[in-house]
Amino acid sequence: MNATLSSGALHDAVSHFIRGGGPPAEFDSLALAVHAHQRRTIVAVDAYSAASPTRGSGFLAIPPLPIAAFKLTNLHDGAHRVQKTFESSGTSLESKSRSHYSDVGLELMGAAIDTAAERHLFPGGRQSRVLVLAPPPELAPGLIMAWGMARLVSRYGLAGSDFFIGRNGLDVPRLLRLLNASSTYGVPVTLIGASFGFVHLLDGLAEKGVRLSCAPGSQSLDAGGFKGRSRVVTRDALHAAIHQTFGITRSWNLLGLTEHASQFYDRPERDGETSLRPGRVKSDNPWTRTRVLNPATLLPASPGESGLIAHWDLANVERPMAVLTDDLGIAREDGYEIVGRVNDADAKGCSISLDDFLTRGVASGSSRARQSS
Amino acid sequence: MTNLIDTAWFPRWFDPPKAPPHVLTVTRGQDFVNLSFPVLGPTELERACTGLREARRYLAERPVRAIAETLDSAAAIWLDAERPERRAAIHAISVVTGFSPAMVAHAIDLEQRSSRLPDLLGVLDRELGDHRVIDHFVKVRGRSSLRTTVVGPALIGGVFSANIPALPHLTVLRAFLVKAACLGRVSRGEPVFLAAYARTLAALDPDLADCLFVTWWPPEDLATEAVFLAGIDHLVAYGGDAALSAIARRAPQGLPATWHGHRLGFAFVGKPALEPGPAFDALVRGLAYDFSVFDQHACLAPQALYVEEGGTVTPDALARALSTALIVLAHELPQRHAAPADLAKRRSAYETVRLRQALGEPIRGVSPDWRESPHLEPWVAMTPGQNLKPTPNDRTAWVVPVGSLGDAIALLPSSGVLQCAAVAGITDVDRLTLARSGVTRLCAPGLMGLPSMWWAHDGQPCLSRLVRFCDEEMEPP
């Protein structure tokens, strides 16, 4: 791979790699080419890389940029005009993470979303009635999750697919009508949304004693966790409640970050002839590499060890592709689990109690993404 | 099972629960302890609340001085380095919390040194005018026709955190000083000390220990928590803001409460104190101690050091001296065991500082580079213009050069999280300015982690807020 490819050529090469696959070895050369491009075009990537020791070969030779960079400075490569900016949560401008996308960047993100969805939710491009517990992009233009879910609705949604959070909150009656229709007419649904949105809905339905039986083949996908929320629900408890209330047995969790164009699903496992079910660990897409890094050395942790999660994401051609997140994970043989996060706001003088850490470790499960909160 | 530590204390009148305790093994390197956690439900908690109210009669009839004398004797026992219960507690707390044994011993010493008789009676005198007022009617100084007495609540509930070893006994002291029984829920992160302390009290005065109940229930056991919250008259709670606000939402409306949540401290050194010499050397040692004690996990700990520019010693030179002093002090008070989450927090902040430096910000590390040490070495960084906010702790000092005290105050948060400030080289007017800016405790460097029993914790009286007064007026105004 030519290390001085233009932005357009890199987008084409990565798009081809995402859509068509390619030998794993090609990942390294593409990653190094993208990184070389970013060192030329993004000041922070070049400055941080120059100041960092080399800690590995292949993609591991690319130092992952601390995620705080997205709050500190403009990280767009400037090759194409920015069309859209997504922002993470944050109470002040200083604490908002910002990710800029050009048209070609959005196209690449769309390719990543489609390919990942077909590898997990919609094998073979199978369609479903996609019901979204999140606001549509026009109501939440800065929310990357809304953009991604709109993409799923438009690509894989049968008639009746829609968003159910509007200006007046969650439209439960309309949602229930569609869910009831699903069970009556045997139309599988894919219920997707923010984890906390699910909790709100499930609480409300439990109070009314509502129990549904969605059509076979129905599934759910929750994204995001419970950061800053008053209530934390474990992944298992959430998925058990989804099963109990909707009769859905296949519940996926998705890790998405405002800083990455790619998303990270539970590792898919074969479930019968044509279906997949979520496994217990998160896994990579062919165009991403995730490593739990030992915080003492920033080298990949061995299975069973915990540390900071870093992603190398080819779909981030125009934004830093290697990012050191503030998520805490445990390395597993076949993937990784997310167990919590490092957060300055949590590091409070008097308030650090090991109890908190223990509780957080148990409660956070693997469901979180900044984009949802 | 060997080495089993009982984290509960049940009074003699309480029939222990039928359910066997839950035993949790905690390992630290090659070392381990087995913790025995009680399994209590709402029914048992209800019995505990009822029994404590009954047991409290003993307190009502006992002179406060006699109560304080017993507490003083307990402090003397815990200050005796040879006592087996102290050695066992130091070992267990160190294994469970990760604090070094030296730091745990230091914490016990600090807490118990301020729990002696003169301080116990002294704080009552400060807050109530006269400690005897808790025993009977006493004439109010300055008005001979006015007598008063105070009545404490029957039952104080404590919810404790784990950030400072041996701290929870403070709530027991305060409860007993106002003749209230105490029901404490320990933290899973440090469940050892309070039950051990209760056993000391029982050896000294079994009737007094009958007024104390120490237990634990899982955070998700809201039914037991509800009985606890409904059964107490005043809640004293330590913890993170999220945990405290969750309890506040679940507490019965109108339950009086004292919240000890997130607080921030800092140090400020003005130009007059920046002259080389023995006083400056002592100042640096004091600052190093403030950033090190309890590994900076106490609300009292400084998060930043603001240094006035223009002194003979520059902010950079002070930062370098502090870095050296922190490393020296770590030999005497070794750091906590570094858990991966602690290292990750430090690494995240460390790499962000490196990034900001690479981007040309006037920020830089002062301590030796961190490449691959698995220990939480002390870390000093120059961070000009830094607002006061939490560091990753574990002896992290962000040194901020400022033009004046006013410039430092401009970097402080405006909300009520400010607490303690170590100050040197400033005037009394400056001190008043800091008080009016939200600081609730001023001290010299080296004293931040050493508040006395007399301290108005978080700017509030600790005992008078627990009691009600009953006045007797014998003359018209």
Side-chain angles (χ1 to χ4, degrees), chain A residues 176-201:
Chain A
L176 286 181
R177 275 201 302 279
L178 280 159
L179 287 168
N180 277 318
S182 160
S183 57
T184 307
Y185 300 109
V187 181
V189 296
T190 298
L191 201 52
I192 64 178
S195 309
F196 206 71
F198 271 97
V199 171
H200 266 307
L201 174 65

Side-chain angles (χ1 to χ4, degrees), chain A residues 48 51-52 295-296 347 349-350 355, chain B residues 163 188 297 299 347 351 354 390:
Chain A
Y48 183 74
S52 298
C350 214
D355 222 87
Chain B
N163 55 317
R188 186 165 45 184
H297 283 239
C299 52
R347 176 60 77 180
E351 293 303 317
R354 285 206 322 112

Side-chain angles (χ1 to χ4, degrees), chain B residues 301-472:
Chain B
Q303 303 296 320
L305 165 61
Y306 295 95
V307 187
E308 192 173 14
E309 293 168 311
T312 307
V313 177
T314 64
D316 287 77
L318 175 53
R320 287 194 299 274
L322 176 60
S323 176
T324 304
L326 284 166
I327 292 167
V328 170
L329 185 59
H331 295 295
E332 191 184 325
L333 287 175
Q335 302 97 313
R336 288 169 74 236
H337 170 88
D342 301 321
L343 287 167
K345 189 165 55 156
R346 170 71 72 86
R347 176 60 77 180
S348 183
Y350 184 84
E351 293 303 317
T352 301
V353 163
R354 285 206 322 112
L355 166 72
R356 290 172 61 186
Q357 189 175 354
L359 286 171
E361 289 190 40
I363 183 172
R364 68 185 179 285
V366 174
S367 303
D369 285 347
W370 180 29
R371 287 289 175 90
E372 54 186 33
S373 168
H375 305 294
L376 290 163
E377 307 294 352
W379 178 35
V380 179
M382 296 293 294
T383 57
Q386 175 72 56
N387 289 320
L388 182 62
K389 64 177 195 175
T391 65
N393 295 2
D394 292 302
R395 313 188 191 200
T396 299
W398 284 339
V399 180
V400 188
V402 288
S404 65
L405 177 65
D407 291 347
I409 289 173
L411 296 169
L412 304 179
S414 54
S415 65
V417 296
L418 276 184
Q419 190 191 61
C420 188
V423 292
I426 66 170
T427 66
D428 261 6
V429 173
D430 292 334
R431 287 176 167 80
L432 203 54
T433 305
L434 284 167
R436 289 170 178 165
S437 302
V439 173
T440 61
R441 178 170 173 259
L442 293 166
C443 64
L447 296 180
M448 287 185 83
L450 316 178
S452 73
M453 178 64 73
W454 296 58
W455 175 41
H457 195 158
D458 293 342
Q460 300 293 322
C462 300
L463 297 172
S464 59
R465 64 184 288 120
L466 299 173
V467 302
R468 68 178 164 78
F469 284 75
C470 176
D471 290 347
E472 182 184 26

Side-chain angles (χ1 to χ4, degrees), chain A residues 43-45 47-48 51-53 55 65-69 72-73 94 229-231 294-299 306-308 324-326 328 342-345 347-359 362, chain B residues 96-97 161-163 185 187-189 216 219 239-241 243 249 260-263 296-299 303 336 340-345 347-348 351-352 354-356 358-359 361 370-374 389-391 393:
Chain A
V43 171
V45 170
Y48 183 74
S52 298
R55 287 188 163 98
L65 193 68
I67 198 164
L72 293 171
T73 184
E94 188 194 13
R229 302 294 186 178
S230 55
R231 191 169 150 214
N294 178 331
T297 60
L298 286 185
L299 296 173
S306 55
L308 284 167
L324 180 67
T325 74
D326 53 11
L328 290 169
V342 172
N343 186 342
D344 280 351
K348 291 166 179 169
C350 214
S351 309
I352 288 204
S353 95
L354 297 180
D355 222 87
D356 290 346
F357 277 119
L358 291 169
T359 308
V362 173
Chain B
V96 175
T97 62
S161 62
N163 55 317
R185 189 265 188 193
S187 160
R188 186 165 45 184
W216 178 82
D241 287 348
R249 274 194 302 277
H260 295 301
H262 165 48
R263 295 286 184 276
Q296 215 178 2
H297 283 239
C299 52
Q303 303 296 320
R336 288 169 74 236
D342 301 321
L343 287 167
K345 189 165 55 156
R347 176 60 77 180
S348 183
E351 293 303 317
T352 301
R354 285 206 322 112
L355 166 72
R356 290 172 61 186
L359 286 171
E361 289 190 40
W370 180 29
R371 287 289 175 90
E372 54 186 33
S373 168
K389 64 177 195 175
T391 65
N393 295 2

Side-chain angles (χ1 to χ4, degrees), chain A residues 15-40:
Chain A
S15 178
H16 184 261
F17 188 79
I18 290 174
R19 289 182 191 280
E26 199 179 325
F27 177 89
D28 274 0
S29 53
L30 269 174
L32 292 168
V34 170
H35 181 60
H37 162 73
Q38 293 179 346
R39 283 198 71 165
R40 288 193 301 274

Side-chain angles (χ1 to χ4, degrees), chain A residues 16 25 64 142 170 232 271 287 310 318 367:
Chain A
H16 184 261
L170 183 62
V232 173
D271 185 17
W287 61 93
E318 58 185 359
S367 56

